[in-house]
């Protein structure tokens, strides 16, 4: 059976991710040389601090999967939903995971979120190194502390998500994704969440609708909603967009 797919338009959500507590998303061995800590935060090759889009997407996906009983563990490894059912919003939203049934391209693109540096601030104004004691569980004594680099509370990252709209009912998928953003605000991003790290809030949110006609040259067709700070308000704004 042949399935055609036609783009109706794109919805873009832009805003800030504000850190409410220190945030640590670990870097790789490459970035180890740059920072003075045992455990630096992730940077790109130009030293810019960012939250990888894949981390955000993966976290939101797994929170939604846990909420709806689609999260599985296999030999200690988390397994993304692979049900392949036609009405599974996880598979439709985030793309098929080796599924034979769903061949549609994924609906959501999550951009890397870079640390915002306004008013001549440098990255070092937004970083701190925190000693974390590691307890020897046998002796019950503290070992040498590890030094964890964190993005300080009150920092902002530039957030952008793009949704490809193929069908009218794709609006429901966008609302599901925003549900995942709500779950993330009451969960944590990055490492050491149980120690209080990684509480974030989405702020200064904007929803923009660019229908197919916009890309064909009819710029007036773009719909831009006013800025808001609340995810429930964002769901209402998405509901108001007609496509
Ligand atoms: Zn599924």
């Amino acid at each position: 059976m042949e399935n055609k797919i036609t783009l109706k338009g794109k919805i873009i959500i832009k805003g800030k991710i504000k850190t409410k507590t220190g945030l640590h998303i670990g870097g790789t061995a490459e970035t180890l040389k740059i920072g003075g800590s045992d455990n630096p935060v992730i940077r790109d090759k130009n030293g810019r601090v960012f939250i990888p889009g894949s981390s955000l997407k993966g976290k939101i996906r797994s929170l939604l999967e846990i909420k709806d009983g689609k999260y599985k563990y296999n030999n200690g490894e988390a397994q993304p939903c692979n049900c392949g059912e036609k009405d599974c919003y996880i598979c439709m939203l985030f793309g098929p995971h080796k599924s034979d049934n769903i061949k549609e391209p994924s609906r959501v693109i999550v951009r890397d979120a870079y640390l915002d540096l306004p008013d001549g601030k440098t990255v070092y104004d937004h970083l701190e190194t925190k000693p974390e004691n590691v307890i020897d569980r046998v002796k019950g004594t503290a070992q040498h502390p590890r030094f964890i680099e964190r993005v300080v509370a009150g920092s902002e990252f530039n957030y952008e998500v793009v949704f490809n709209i193929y069908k009218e009912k794709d609006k429901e998928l966008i609302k599901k994704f925003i549900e995942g953003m709500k779950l993330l605000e009451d969960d944590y991003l990055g490492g050491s969440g149980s120690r209080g790290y990684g509480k974030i809030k989405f702020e200064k949110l904007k929803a923009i609708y660019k229908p197919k006609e916009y890309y064909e040259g009819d710029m007036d067709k773009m719909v831009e909603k006013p800025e808001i700070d609340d995810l429930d308000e964002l769901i209402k704004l998405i509901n108001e967009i007609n496509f």
Side-chain angles (χ1 to χ4, degrees), residues 79-149:
Q79 303 282 318
C81 187
N82 199 16
C83 71
E85 281 162 30
K86 272 218 154 97
D87 59 351
C88 173
Y89 77 86
I90 295 283
C91 289
M92 282 200 280
L93 187 53
F94 295 98
H97 248 273
K98 297 172 222 152
S99 163
D100 294 329
N101 297 338
I102 300 174
K103 291 264 164 62
E104 293 175 5
S106 77
R107 302 296 206 284
V108 65
I109 298 155
V110 184
R111 308 277 193 213
D112 291 339
Y114 278 88
L115 180 64
D116 197 19
L117 295 173
D119 308 327
K121 293 259 178 172
T122 73
V123 70
Y124 297 103
D125 296 318
H126 289 275
L127 294 173
E128 62 185 358
T129 301
K130 190 171 179 288
E132 289 279 1
N133 283 317
V134 181
I135 306 295
D136 186 321
R137 284 176 194 277
V138 179
K139 294 179 188 155
T141 52
Q143 295 176 314
H144 298 296
R146 294 192 307 153
F147 291 92
I148 315 260
E149 188 180 45

